[in-house]
Amino acid sequence: MATPIPPAPPPNPHHLLLHRPPALTPPRRLRLPIRRPRIASAAAATATATAPDDIAQLNHRLRVLVRRRDAASSASSASSSMDPVQAEAYLHMIREQQRLGLRQLRRDPAGQKEERDSGVDDGDEEEEGGGRRKGMAAGSSLGHRVDPRELEPGEYVVHKKVGVGKFVCISGEDGEDYVFIQYADAMAKLAVDQAARMLYRYNLPHEKKRPRSLSKLNDPSTWEKRRLKGKLAVQKMVVNLMELYLQRMRQRRSPYTRPEAIDQFAAEFPYEPTPDQNQAFIDVEKDLTERETPMDRLICGDVGFGKTEVAMRAIFIVVSAGYQAMVLAPTVILANQHYDVMSDRFSSYPDIKIAIFSGAQSKEEKDELITQIKSGHLQIIVGTHALLTERMAYNNLGLLVVDEEQKFGVQQKEKIASYKSSIDVLTLSATPIPRTLYLALTGFRDASLMSTPPPERVAVKTYVSAFSRERALSAIKLELKRGGQVFYVVPRIKDDVLQFLKDSLPDVPMAVAHGKKVSKNIQLAMEKFSCGEIKILVCTHIIESGIDIPNANTMIVQYAELFGLAQLYQLRGRVGRSGREGFTYLFYTDKSLLSRIAMDRLGAIEEHSDLGQGFHVAEKDMGIRGFGSMFGEQQSGDVANVGIDLFFDMLFDSLSKVDQFCINPVPYKDVQLDINISAHLSSEYISYLENPVELLNEAAKAAEKDIWTLTQFTEDLRRQYGKEPRDMELLLKKLYVRRMAADLGICRIYPSGKTIIMKTNMNKKVFRLMVEAMASETHRNSLTLTGKEIKAELLVTLPDTLLLNWLFHCLADCYAVMPALVKY
């Protein structure tokens, strides 16, 4: 008897039309006359009134799979298969990219050797010794096992093989220390060394800490299902990354010619570059002059570490080739700063014209600039998000430089992302947004890390404490005494703060700068502060980017618990830039009122007080804030199954073996289905169809093209003619079976007694993942892989019609794993 697939809600044709799976070309619609449908038989009439049949349920499941995936990756997966040689070249590049992303980016040469020497492993076995897991970068705050000696009683932990428990204590017995973990039904006792290899902290997205329930030692199957669900979710994420990366790698542009004057331009840089800066120069130059794909590189470095110089050398190469460059900044202040720096830097090159474009300009000024940009009279255009408007037209845009992408809005980020398919993009950031950081960590985005400070920079001393007026005044007076200036930052300007400062320091000139936008009053206040006329600037976080006051070396942040971790770190970068030691005081209101997340942020900013810590602060922030903003709510739910640390451990493990989860579809016409079912349509149904021969040819063509075209064909057929009779349903199921078999790499299916044999090119890892993802336990337990054959052991020998039904349900169950596989 056929095994039923899980029930699904009846598909609404209009709803499904809104979510048609994307494809490179729209599927052919049936060329059938529109007329009032009539029912061919009483059986068909009964079928239309019942719950959705097998085909309708499969179509619904296929559409659900597509809707859950990112539109870009869905389009990629719906495209035609890649050439195996080209695919292998791409996979090699991704493996190298991932290795560099996790090793070179984190400065871990030992880890590089370890990965090369480690070979291929299953990822599920225990490791000998208590060292970190293979492929994990040293010092990472993500995806690592926990030392049980660091645990506090009552903390939730995850044992990779057993599940979620609560740490109780470490106690010595017979001269050896043991870790005791409470589970729902018993207490577990582990040797400390063994626990160090298998335990993870159980952290959840957002601020949640408590798991839904503790696992049971005597019921490992429940935990295994949760772990496998998390593993499948991880693999789907990896494939989505792969498809996004491959989509970018398919784009083409001719390499730029290295200009002869670039060496002279570099020699005019007035400072000695740091080693990290030199490497960033090399990385960007290679991207532009050696690659045939558009650059999409992240330059990550603290404020004042020389990211802008890297951008200007990239601009010089592109502009020298006759292209234009756009420099995008989130605020007018930062745009003005970039304009001033670049105007000075390119002053020796009169042929390179620079202009600034922002919302602060009049309509007449903007119109004139747009005309010059469109005609090609301007080579470098610096500005705010006003550059992203539809009015803007470029003559020959070649490079986009984005500074502090995290400060742009959602629509602006989408506009920025749209440029990446056609031009080179360079992103500069001190603390990149979670998704950007994640892509850099996993190696799916080019990144250069600048963590070495310039020789004259001194680390800013950071103090975190409860607020007191005496401490704040003491810090201010200390800075004023040595001739400096002070930033006094609050989340919003309050009269009591101003009054306190005026009453306490009546003879000290001060000004106020606040608001979401930079007004003329704010600009005037900052200009006075910049020239030293003002000694204390009371402001909001509006100054976190784009203001450089060398003499301002003390910052006081009141209500620091209301700021984000990245905000606090940019803010801190505004002091200590002149070679003189800087001080930052982070004052919170009342420790007893602080949330856990606020305490974690303040602790992290105090911990990362050395220079060049922006990357690590962003990484820490990603762990504190949770993953909803990075993966979306669906993925956050998947994380909750196993906890963040184990999830990341599984993620990096899958990334290091991404090429092992590839599937090679076979041509549809090569699939041989040895089941004796022929189409014997009733004369009544044939006479009902307008052109039955053409319709059957359309069905065969749809199946040969892809599964989405076949799905569309079936739904069009039913919308026009109603539910088909049994014989037509069998014919459609035969087409579905052959189509799904082709996509799964199965070239022949034939019965042998009670056994069904499927010839395949599938490897063991793909087969194992496929079986683990199957919803039907019956199917899961019946399938085995021997060599190049998948065998299904049945209890009885089935007649051909029931055998076709069994295959239809089984392959539909197998098809659920397709989003987790890389298609050649």
Side-chain angles (χ1 to χ4, degrees):
M1 183 176 291
T3 304
I5 59 178
N12 181 329
H14 303 291
H15 177 67
L16 293 177
L17 283 174
L18 293 175
H19 297 278
R20 180 176 301 169
L24 290 182
T25 56
R28 293 181 62 189
R29 303 295 294 248
L30 282 174
R31 298 192 305 273
L32 299 174
I34 299 175
R35 61 180 183 178
R36 182 182 178 84
R38 57 188 175 87
I39 303 302
S41 65
T46 303
T48 58
T50 60
D53 62 294
D54 297 342
I55 292 177
Q57 291 187 54
L58 174 60
N59 288 349
H60 175 77
R61 287 174 61 183
L62 290 172
R63 292 195 182 278
V64 168
L65 286 176
V66 171
R67 287 201 298 270
R68 286 178 178 173
R69 305 182 66 192
D70 180 82
S73 60
S74 296
S76 177
S77 65
S79 63
S80 57
S81 300
M82 293 179 61
D83 176 81
V85 176
Q86 183 187 30
E88 181 56 39
Y90 283 149
L91 287 171
H92 175 76
M93 291 179 67
I94 289 174
R95 284 195 297 271
E96 194 67 13
Q97 181 78 350
Q98 194 259 338
R99 181 181 68 82
L100 291 174
L102 292 177
R103 307 289 182 262
Q104 180 176 311
L105 187 62
R106 304 301 302 277
R107 297 296 190 266
D108 184 24
Q112 295 182 29
K113 184 178 187 300
E114 181 182 26
E115 183 189 38
R116 288 193 296 268
D117 296 344
S118 65
V120 173
D121 61 75
D122 185 90
D124 288 329
E125 292 81 15
E126 297 183 21
E127 295 172 24
E128 296 300 323
R132 62 184 171 85
R133 79 168 196 83
K134 293 176 182 177
M136 194 62 227
S140 174
S141 64
L142 297 172
H144 59 82
R145 295 179 177 86
V146 65
D147 185 340
R149 300 174 185 86
E150 298 176 357
L151 294 170
E152 296 289 337
E155 277 196 77
Y156 292 101
V157 294
V158 181
H159 188 288
K160 193 171 184 179
K161 299 294 185 181
V162 180
V164 181
K166 186 185 290 186
F167 173 74
V168 177
C169 66
I170 296 179
S171 180
E173 290 186 9
D174 301 325
E176 186 172 355
D177 286 342
Y178 290 92
V179 178
F180 289 85
I181 302 172
Q182 180 66 56
Y183 287 93
D185 57 344
M187 181 81 73
K189 183 176 81 170
L190 299 170
V192 171
D193 289 345
Q194 182 187 4
R197 296 197 301 269
M198 301 300 290
L199 286 184
Y200 303 79
R201 275 196 173 92
Y202 185 80
N203 295 316
L204 289 178
H206 311 299
E207 296 187 51
K208 299 177 183 177
K209 277 283 189 179
R210 186 179 181 87
R212 292 174 296 178
S213 61
L214 298 182
S215 302
K216 295 182 179 180
L217 284 175
N218 296 317
D219 182 21
S221 61
T222 300
W223 165 250
E224 184 64 12
K225 289 177 183 177
R226 287 175 64 179
R227 192 180 73 85
L228 292 177
K229 187 176 181 181
K231 181 179 178 181
L232 185 64
V234 161
Q235 190 58 34
K236 288 179 181 178
M237 288 173 54
V238 170
V239 171
N240 283 344
L241 285 175
M242 271 283 292
E243 290 174 343
L244 287 171
Y245 187 83
L246 294 181
Q247 190 178 37
R248 180 165 69 89
M249 295 303 297
R250 290 189 185 105
Q251 306 299 325
R252 283 288 180 268
R253 62 116 171 93
S254 299
Y256 294 94
T257 302
R258 187 179 189 276
E260 294 181 1
I262 186 65
D263 293 328
Q264 176 61 34
F265 183 78
E268 292 169 358
F269 184 50
Y271 305 101
E272 182 67 27
T274 64
D276 290 341
Q277 204 174 17
N278 272 326
Q279 186 58 52
F281 294 153
I282 294 171
D283 293 341
V284 170
E285 186 173 312
K286 284 185 176 180
D287 287 347
L288 294 173
T289 62
E290 297 181 12
R291 285 190 177 181
E292 294 183 345
T293 55
M295 174 179 68
D296 181 17
R297 179 171 291 275
L298 166 69
I299 306 294
C300 184
D302 279 11
V303 176
F305 274 40
K307 300 188 296 294
T308 305
E309 176 63 20
V310 177
M312 288 191 289
R313 296 197 188 185
I315 291 171
F316 190 88
I317 293 173
V318 171
V319 169
S320 297
Y323 292 87
Q324 294 171 305
M326 184 203 322
V327 182
L328 197 60
T331 65
V332 174
I333 296 174
L334 188 55
N336 282 325
Q337 181 176 313
H338 280 312
Y339 174 72
D340 292 341
V341 170
M342 291 182 181
S343 296
D344 180 66
R345 187 75 171 86
F346 288 93
S347 60
S348 301
Y349 302 86
D351 292 337
I352 299 179
K353 302 292 193 302
I354 307 175
I356 187 168
F357 188 97
S358 73
Q361 294 164 318
S362 66
K363 184 179 184 301
E364 291 73 19
E365 290 174 317
K366 291 178 183 177
D367 290 343
E368 175 61 26
L369 286 171
I370 290 174
T371 300
Q372 293 186 48
I373 293 169
K374 189 175 182 179
S375 65
H377 291 157
L378 292 175
Q379 285 73 46
I380 304 174
I381 305 95
V382 182
T384 61
H385 61 274
L387 289 172
L388 301 176
T389 60
E390 297 298 328
R391 294 179 60 208
M392 188 60 63
Y394 294 89
N395 178 268
N396 195 13
L397 186 63
L399 175 66
L400 169 62
V401 177
V402 184
D403 197 2
E404 301 297 350
E405 182 182 11
Q406 71 272 17
K407 294 188 177 69
F408 289 95
V410 174
Q411 292 183 341
Q412 294 157 2
K413 289 175 184 173
E414 290 176 353
K415 184 70 174 179
I416 292 169
S418 69
Y419 281 103
K420 295 184 179 181
S421 62
S422 56
I423 65 171
D424 295 277
V425 178
L426 191 63
T427 303
L428 315 178
S429 182
T431 52
I433 59 177
R435 181 169 176 80
T436 300
L437 170 66
Y438 168 65
L439 293 174
L441 274 172
T442 52
F444 282 93
R445 184 170 183 181
D446 298 316
S448 299
L449 177 62
M450 296 168 58
S451 58
T452 307
E456 71 278 2
R457 288 293 296 272
V458 181
V460 177
K461 287 189 175 180
T462 304
Y463 302 95
V464 178
S465 67
F467 176 76
S468 78
R469 294 189 171 192
E470 293 74 19
R471 289 176 184 167
L473 287 174
S474 175
I476 293 173
K477 291 176 180 179
L478 181 64
E479 183 60 44
L480 295 178
K481 186 176 181 180
R482 63 175 187 166
Q485 295 167 278
V486 178
F487 290 108
Y488 198 103
V489 184
V490 288
R492 53 187 176 275
I493 303 297
K494 292 185 176 181
D495 292 337
D496 59 337
V497 174
L498 292 173
Q499 198 62 47
F500 151 63
L501 291 173
K502 289 178 180 178
D503 291 345
S504 304
L505 303 163
D507 298 326
V508 177
M510 59 185 72
V512 177
H514 69 97
K516 292 184 178 180
K517 294 183 178 180
V518 180
S519 64
K520 291 183 178 179
N521 290 336
I522 292 177
Q523 285 183 307
L524 180 61
M526 290 183 175
E527 287 173 5
K528 289 183 177 180
F529 190 61
S530 179
C531 68
E533 183 179 339
I534 297 298
K535 296 300 180 183
I536 301 176
L537 183 66
V538 183
C539 53
T540 59
H541 64 276
I542 195 169
I543 58 97
E544 68 188 76
S545 62
I547 183 167
D548 188 2
I549 311 296
N551 202 38
N553 290 301
T554 289
M555 176 171 291
I556 294 172
V557 182
Q558 193 174 344
Y559 305 105
E561 70 272 18
L562 300 181
F563 290 87
L565 179 56
Q567 279 184 320
L568 291 173
Y569 191 79
Q570 286 153 350
L571 283 172
R572 187 173 65 183
R574 293 296 139 196
V575 297
R577 303 186 66 176
S578 62
R580 178 183 285 188
E581 187 175 38
F583 298 90
T584 296
Y585 300 86
L586 305 178
F587 292 123
Y588 53 82
T589 307
D590 187 338
K591 192 169 186 178
S592 64
L593 300 178
L594 293 182
S595 66
R596 179 196 63 83
I597 200 167
M599 292 179 65
D600 287 348
R601 283 171 176 165
L602 294 174
I605 198 70
E606 189 174 30
E607 174 190 352
H608 295 285
S609 58
D610 293 337
L611 295 172
Q613 295 288 301
F615 184 86
H616 303 288
V617 167
E619 184 186 58
K620 185 74 174 179
D621 194 30
M622 184 164 64
I624 292 173
R625 286 201 289 160
F627 298 84
S629 62
M630 183 170 69
F631 298 143
E633 293 305 315
Q634 172 66 36
Q635 288 80 9
S636 293
D638 296 326
V639 172
N641 276 315
V642 295
I644 289 173
D645 285 2
L646 178 54
F647 189 86
F648 260 83
D649 193 78
M650 294 161 64
L651 173 63
F652 285 115
D653 185 71
S654 292
L655 282 166
S656 65
K657 301 192 288 282
V658 65
D659 56 325
Q660 298 173 35
F661 290 93
C662 293
I663 193 165
N664 189 2
V666 298
Y668 174 84
K669 61 184 179 180
D670 292 346
V671 177
Q672 184 177 343
L673 180 60
D674 296 340
I675 298 179
N676 188 23
I677 294 180
S678 302
H680 296 293
L681 303 182
S682 66
S683 57
E684 182 182 4
Y685 188 65
I686 291 175
S687 62
Y688 171 56
L689 300 175
E690 183 72 18
N691 191 332
V693 174
E694 183 180 357
L695 184 141
L696 294 177
N697 288 335
E698 289 284 338
K701 290 177 183 178
E704 185 173 1
K705 186 173 183 182
D706 54 49
I707 192 74
W708 315 115
T709 308
L710 180 58
T711 298
Q712 187 64 62
F713 171 89
T714 306
E715 291 174 350
D716 283 348
L717 176 69
R718 290 182 169 187
R719 269 194 290 269
Q720 185 159 336
Y721 290 104
K723 172 69 172 68
E724 69 281 348
R726 176 64 173 167
D727 288 339
M728 185 64 181
E729 181 184 353
L730 290 174
L731 186 147
L732 290 175
K733 282 187 174 179
K734 191 173 181 179
L735 296 177
Y736 271 97
V737 167
R738 286 187 65 194
R739 180 67 263 169
M740 289 188 288
D743 291 344
L744 290 166
I746 297 171
C747 60
R748 185 188 176 195
I749 303 175
Y750 63 96
S752 178
K754 297 179 183 179
T755 304
I756 301 175
I757 300 174
M758 294 176 258
K759 297 280 188 180
T760 181
N761 57 32
M762 195 179 296
N763 65 46
K764 289 182 179 179
K765 286 189 177 292
V766 169
F767 175 78
R768 180 180 175 185
L769 187 68
M770 180 185 72
V771 171
E772 290 172 349
M774 298 181 83
S776 168
E777 188 174 355
T778 303
H779 293 148
R780 190 164 56 245
N781 294 337
S782 67
L783 297 180
T784 58
L785 178 66
T786 306
K788 293 297 182 181
E789 292 182 343
I790 298 175
K791 294 183 179 180
E793 300 293 340
L794 307 182
L795 297 176
V796 295
T797 302
L798 298 176
D800 287 340
T801 53
L802 292 182
L803 184 59
L804 179 65
N805 274 331
W806 193 95
L807 283 168
F808 179 88
H809 289 293
C810 182
L811 293 183
D813 218 359
C814 294
Y815 214 81
V817 81
M818 288 298 287
L821 301 174
V822 180
K823 275 72 71 178
Y824 270 0

